[in-house]
């Protein structure tokens, strides 16, 4: 993906929510090794954002209900 110019991957870790997919998201972040951004998605809201930030060391989160 990096070789074809992909800079970000939007993912819930293959689960319905980022919380449920957190294990895979963390593996993806480690594997990406700062070569591309893993953007956490999947039912991200202002209510669970801090919990997700504590669980997943990502720089970017995506959700309709964050603000």
């Amino acid at each position: 993906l990096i070789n074809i110019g992909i800079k970000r991957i939007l993912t819930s870790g293959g689960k319905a929510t980022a919380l449920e997919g957190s294990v895979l998201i963390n593996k993806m972040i480690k594997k990406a090794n700062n070569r591309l951004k893993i953007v956490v998605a999947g039912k991200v809201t202002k209510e669970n954002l801090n919990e997700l930030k504590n669980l997943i060391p990502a720089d970017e989160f995506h959700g309709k209900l964050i603000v």
Side-chain angles (χ1 to χ4, degrees):
L1 294 174
I2 294 166
N3 292 339
I4 62 169
I6 301 297
K7 298 188 187 308
R8 284 179 170 73
I9 297 175
L10 181 69
T11 185
S12 65
K15 303 290 183 176
T17 70
L19 189 59
E20 294 170 336
S22 63
V23 172
L24 182 57
I25 295 170
N26 284 327
K27 287 180 183 179
M28 292 173 73
I29 290 169
K30 185 173 182 173
K31 182 83 171 173
N33 196 27
N34 294 318
R35 295 173 293 167
L36 52 81
K37 290 283 183 185
I38 304 300
V39 181
V40 179
K43 308 290 186 203
V44 178
T45 66
K46 63 183 175 186
E47 286 81 16
N48 67 12
L49 183 58
N50 284 331
E51 179 182 8
L52 288 168
K53 284 182 177 180
N54 288 329
L55 190 61
I56 303 168
D59 296 326
E60 298 183 21
F61 292 81
H62 171 78
K64 293 191 276 186
L65 303 174
I66 292 177
V67 289

